[in-house]
Amino acid sequence: KADYWIFGGIFRPVRLEILPKSHIKRVAIDADAGGNFVSDVSLEAAGKGQLIQVEIYDKDGKMVGSFDSGITPGSGKIRIRGKLEDPQQWNPEFPHLYTATFTLTDPAGGALHRISEKTGFRTVEVRAQDDRHNSIILSADV
């Protein structure tokens, strides 16, 4: 006298993703308060003449910056650098986010793969002199 639940199939959301042979695997973004934008882009099967283009859009969808970099065939990672003039700073009270759209293009100019990431421009630093005032000293009597 038990309650048996017999289910067939998958009972959770499943997403299949089909990527082209040459594609963007992942990106890492470093956007500081001065407007400097640096991104490491990991690629799969990069080909001759391909290009990575980054377009940065504000919250209204207006493009505020565009950078690109050529790809060395067979390279697994490239670094793209650029600078935005006077970006809105990200902070907890006003989280200004930008959308960075990365596009892998072929030599003919057609888009092979495109991904987008949200990012904010912010710099956080800890200086040596700040440590004296904020440190907690723990001691133990042995």
Side-chain angles (χ1 to χ4, degrees), residues 33-83:
N36 296 309
F37 179 89
V38 179
S39 179
D40 289 331
V41 181
S42 296
L43 303 166
E44 182 69 34
K48 183 178 181 183
Q50 291 179 341
L51 182 78
I52 289 282
Q53 182 178 17
V54 182
E55 295 173 334
I56 301 177
Y57 297 92
D58 64 9
K59 66 179 179 178
D60 299 323
K62 177 184 169 196
M63 186 169 61
V64 294
S66 179
F67 322 111
D68 59 28
S69 178
I71 300 170
T72 304
S75 66
K77 186 197 280 188
I78 64 165
R79 179 166 281 182
I80 299 174
R81 297 177 186 271
K83 183 164 176 74

Side-chain angles (χ1 to χ4, degrees), residues 11 17 30 34 52 56 73 79 84-85 87 92 100 123 126:
F11 290 93
E17 187 174 36
D30 179 15
I52 289 282
I56 301 177
R79 179 166 281 182
L84 253 61
E85 296 300 322
T123 300
V126 177

Side-chain angles (χ1 to χ4, degrees), residues 29-31 37 56 90 96-100 117-121:
I29 299 172
D30 179 15
F37 179 89
I56 301 177
W90 185 96
H96 297 289
L97 288 177
Y98 290 84
T99 302
E117 295 288 335
K118 296 281 189 183
T119 189
F121 287 83

Side-chain angles (χ1 to χ4, degrees), residues 88-136:
Q88 291 186 341
Q89 304 299 305
W90 185 96
N91 65 53
E93 294 177 19
F94 303 101
H96 297 289
L97 288 177
Y98 290 84
T99 302
T101 301
F102 296 81
T103 306
L104 175 64
T105 61
D106 64 5
L112 295 173
H113 188 217
R114 181 176 288 132
I115 63 172
S116 293
E117 295 288 335
K118 296 281 189 183
T119 189
F121 287 83
R122 178 182 184 183
T123 300
V124 177
E125 60 183 309
V126 177
R127 297 184 207 144
Q129 65 269 21
D130 293 343
D131 190 39
R132 280 182 272 143
H133 304 291
N134 298 323
S135 63
I136 298 172

